Amino acid sequence: MRILLLCSSFNGLTQRAWLELRRSGHDVGVELAISPEQMTEAAELHKPDLIICPFLKERVPEALWRTRRTVIIHPGPPGDRGPSSLDWAIADAEPEWGVTALQAVEEMDAGPIWAYRTFPMPSEPPRKSALYNGPVADAAVELVAEVARKAADPAFVPVPLDYRNPEVKGRLRRPMRHADREFSWGEPTEDILRRVRAADGAPGGRSVLCDLPVRVFDVYRGPELLGTPGTVAGRREGAVLVHTGDGTLWVGHVKVEREGGIKLPATMALGDAVAGVPQRSGYSEITYDRSEGVGVVSFDFYNGAMSTEQCRRLASALRYAVSQDTRVLVVRGGEVFSNGIHLNVIEAARQPELEAWMNINAINAVCREIVGCTSQLVVTSIGGNAGAGGVMMGLGADRVIVRDSVVLNPHYRTMGLFGSEYWTYSLTRRVGADVARRLTQEALPIGAAEAVEVGLADKALAGSRLDFERRVLEYAERLAADPNYERFLAARRQAREADERRKPLDAYRAEELAEMSRDMFDDRSGFRQARHAFVHKLKPQATPEHLARLRELSGASAPLGASTSHM
């Protein structure tokens, strides 16, 4: 079928839906919901058999839903309505939640139901972003595939929403307001944790810290220390430890409520107010563990962004791991594997261009440790989405293993950058020059299955993130005990030596950085504007150029609005 994905942004869920439908053989276009007029015009250009809205904040115009089948993917169980569904699900500690595919009608979220999925909510309050990118996205992708199948059946009729039906357990919920997100540090730790995580990553829990009005993100339980609520008791790796009514919470990120304020590591956002606070243990973004001849370096950076300081710490951890007497090194990312350099920290720096330069050099050092390791076999464990330099960072390993739900964006062009992280070596070595050129120039996502098919990854494994990590570790342990281990390691050394003789890694790095210097300091491709738009969440004025090209591929050749290149 011809299917149009209409979305507020081409986010991870929309990308998964696009990949799933394309692999099923459908002709799929993507348009951003810029305005009612442009939404209607998009449908006229694409002439789809079906419109699916995987992530849509805007109301579908009447001219659209009355003339074309339009299905909304709503992040709530049947009967749930309103724009703050996940926020309320977390805040109210719902034991079960779901996702519903429903037909667009005049009243929002009240249309006939095409299909739905439910799932148990974790007992530990989840971050809204983790809930959305995890079980919600998994259920939504299943629903998108089911909707496409049902749309092909002329006998299918969606079921009207009926609150008398025992399967309809949801209800209309009002939008969550600022007052619902406010908290006092004197409240119990559990209450604050749930309040903040229900608003993570947007718009954040609202409070006052160090006499500054702030939005709080990225919180974890701290030790049960007593102290004056709201006072900062310690700091570590960018986070601060704050006293609550009955204990403490680690706060990883803060946005100071002032004009132009952006989300930053807490110590950076609070600045001089916490400069004299002592360092404390008990919080770490990077860990090292050993098991059966395997060393595991785990890192979990908020939203996958890696600042200069974080990259330096990770490079140090990798150097330590490489020096150990283990046989296999596993490099394991977190909820998001990595999205490369930290654009928020760069934007907030006094000299953004200089900070960007230091950041790219620091992440290059991380990649060098992975590519240059010849004393152990290296396995990259990619259990969460990755983009730009975060994808390239994992490619220097002997084995790249991805979770089957992962979406990779192995390109930099939409941010106005040439890219570094030794991608001209590691990506080309894995997939060949032609595929590397296509991946970086088309600037489109790639799913786990396709990543394995083209050689970007070696294996895709199913299961939850914890199951995935367990299976990767078991694989690494088998590799460490394999009778052919020494032969494998010798082959890695020989290949690295041959590659180095052909063209040293330093040459790749120098060539990439020469291009990056023009992007960062001369701003030849719009990096400054693209970064500002990303950090400040500016709404695009048109569907980005790399997505607009999909319109041409699907046969909708007429232009739609003014295309913009770097969104």
Side-chain angles (χ1 to χ4, degrees):
M1 284 188 297
R2 292 175 65 84
I3 299 176
L4 172 62
L5 295 183
L6 202 56
C7 53
S8 296
S9 75
F10 196 49
N11 65 356
L13 169 54
T14 308
Q15 291 177 19
R16 284 185 63 183
W18 180 74
L19 290 164
E20 172 69 24
L21 291 170
R22 287 179 74 245
R23 285 191 70 82
S24 298
H26 299 293
D27 180 354
V28 190
V30 178
E31 294 287 353
L32 298 191
I34 305 298
S35 68
E37 294 75 21
Q38 286 197 336
M39 283 190 265
T40 304
E41 186 182 349
E44 292 172 353
L45 285 170
H46 284 271
K47 296 180 174 56
D49 304 304
L50 175 68
I51 298 174
I52 301 179
C53 307
F55 171 64
L56 188 66
K57 296 179 179 179
E58 295 77 11
R59 182 184 294 273
V60 177
E62 182 176 0
L64 202 57
W65 61 258
R66 282 200 182 277
T67 57
R68 298 185 183 276
R69 288 185 299 180
T70 304
V71 178
I72 309 293
I73 305 299
H74 176 73
D80 179 81
R81 296 166 58 198
S84 305
S85 295
L86 297 185
D87 313 61
W88 286 119
I90 298 168
D92 293 345
E94 294 284 353
E96 183 181 76
W97 205 241
V99 181
T100 306
L102 49 91
Q103 193 152 320
V105 295
E106 184 173 3
E107 195 171 357
M108 290 190 72
D109 305 331
I113 295 171
W114 282 60
Y116 69 91
R117 296 287 188 279
T118 59
F119 51 83
M121 289 281 281
S123 55
E124 172 75 4
R127 288 200 308 216
K128 182 172 65 170
S129 55
L131 181 65
Y132 180 81
N133 291 314
V136 169
D138 292 343
V141 171
E142 288 185 16
L143 288 177
V144 165
E146 183 174 343
V147 165
R149 290 194 300 270
K150 288 180 174 177
D153 178 5
F156 172 75
V157 178
V159 180
L161 176 62
D162 183 356
Y163 283 99
R164 295 170 298 181
N165 185 336
E167 293 185 6
V168 178
K169 300 177 181 179
R171 66 181 189 275
L172 174 62
R173 297 169 186 255
R174 63 174 174 81
M176 193 170 275
R177 305 185 181 100
H178 287 325
D180 299 311
R181 305 186 189 280
E182 292 174 355
F183 67 89
S184 163
W185 294 103
E187 296 175 35
T189 297
E190 183 71 21
D191 292 354
I192 299 173
L193 185 76
R194 188 170 292 279
R195 188 82 53 84
V196 172
R197 289 189 174 173
D200 204 339
R206 297 166 64 92
S207 192
V208 175
L209 188 58
C210 299
D211 295 324
L212 295 170
V214 296
R215 297 192 184 192
V216 178
F217 309 83
D218 188 25
V219 293
Y220 301 88
R221 288 184 177 84
E224 293 184 2
L225 300 174
L226 296 179
T228 304
T231 58
V232 177
R235 59 191 175 100
R236 180 175 173 82
E237 297 184 358
V240 294
L241 184 66
V242 184
H243 284 293
T244 66
D246 59 0
T248 59
L249 275 175
W250 283 104
V251 175
H253 283 74
V254 161
K255 177 180 178 180
V256 177
E257 297 250 46
R258 61 185 173 214
E259 187 175 355
I262 59 178
K263 190 189 306 183
L264 293 168
T267 54
M268 182 176 180
L270 299 173
D272 292 342
V274 296
V277 173
Q279 294 279 344
R280 276 188 178 271
S281 60
Y283 172 90
S284 184
E285 297 173 308
I286 305 169
T287 60
Y288 177 72
D289 300 288
R290 296 176 55 150
S291 170
E292 302 294 330
V294 177
V296 182
V297 172
S298 301
F299 58 95
D300 194 353
F301 300 128
Y302 186 65
N303 290 340
M306 300 172 61
S307 68
T308 302
E309 179 57 33
Q310 288 169 320
C311 289
R312 288 170 178 167
R313 284 192 273 111
L314 181 54
S316 178
L318 288 169
R319 283 192 290 273
Y320 174 81
V322 168
S323 71
Q324 302 306 297
D325 60 349
T326 50
R327 293 162 70 87
V328 177
L329 169 61
V330 174
V331 181
R332 174 197 288 165
E335 178 187 320
V336 179
F337 180 77
S338 171
N339 281 320
I341 59 177
H342 203 311
L343 298 176
N344 282 40
V345 169
I346 291 169
E347 182 77 1
R350 291 182 179 178
Q351 295 179 283
E353 290 74 21
L354 180 58
E355 177 59 35
W357 184 251
M358 292 193 298
N359 202 163
I360 199 66
N361 277 277
I363 199 170
N364 278 351
V366 172
C367 300
R368 185 63 179 259
E369 292 299 326
I370 296 172
V371 173
C373 175
T374 55
S375 59
Q376 304 179 37
L377 293 177
V378 183
V379 175
T380 306
S381 174
I382 304 180
N385 294 348
V391 177
M392 309 308 178
M393 187 176 76
L395 301 185
D398 298 276
R399 308 287 191 276
V400 177
I401 305 179
V402 297
R403 190 169 161 228
D404 66 350
S405 61
V406 157
V407 175
L408 306 176
N409 277 277
H411 54 82
Y412 308 82
R413 192 171 64 83
T414 55
M415 195 49 64
L417 293 173
F418 177 83
S420 193
E421 292 97 359
Y422 300 95
W423 77 265
T424 52
Y425 168 71
S426 58
L427 179 63
T428 304
R429 181 186 60 154
R430 276 197 155 264
V431 304
D434 290 342
V435 175
R437 190 177 303 109
R438 174 175 67 83
L439 292 175
T440 53
Q441 291 304 307
E442 287 184 354
L444 294 171
I446 180 172
E450 187 182 354
V452 173
E453 290 168 3
V454 302
L456 191 68
D458 298 292
K459 187 186 293 287
L461 300 176
S464 68
R465 208 183 96 204
L466 291 178
D467 289 338
F468 170 79
E469 291 176 353
R470 174 184 56 78
R471 294 179 66 187
V472 172
L473 180 58
E474 290 172 351
Y475 170 81
E477 290 172 348
R478 290 195 301 272
L479 192 59
D482 194 299
N484 294 311
Y485 171 83
E486 293 297 340
R487 182 167 61 84
F488 295 154
L489 186 60
R492 175 176 174 82
R493 288 194 185 111
Q494 291 166 7
R496 177 82 284 283
E497 290 168 0
D499 287 349
E500 190 70 11
R501 287 193 299 271
R502 190 177 303 112
K503 182 175 180 178
L505 283 176
D506 284 345
Y508 289 98
R509 176 177 175 273
E511 290 170 355
E512 291 170 0
L513 289 178
E515 299 286 350
M516 289 290 273
S517 69
R518 296 178 64 192
D519 292 333
M520 290 177 169
F521 294 104
D522 299 338
D523 197 33
R524 65 173 175 177
S525 300
F527 173 53
R528 190 174 300 130
Q529 178 187 349
R531 183 186 70 232
H532 180 81
F534 174 86
V535 169
H536 293 279
K537 304 294 185 280
L538 302 183
K539 185 175 180 177
Q541 299 304 304
T543 297
E545 176 258 343
H546 67 292
L547 298 181
R549 283 204 312 275
L550 298 176
R551 186 187 311 139
E552 300 170 8
L553 295 175
S554 68
S557 57
L560 182 65
S563 178
T564 53
S565 299
H566 304 296
M567 302 302 278

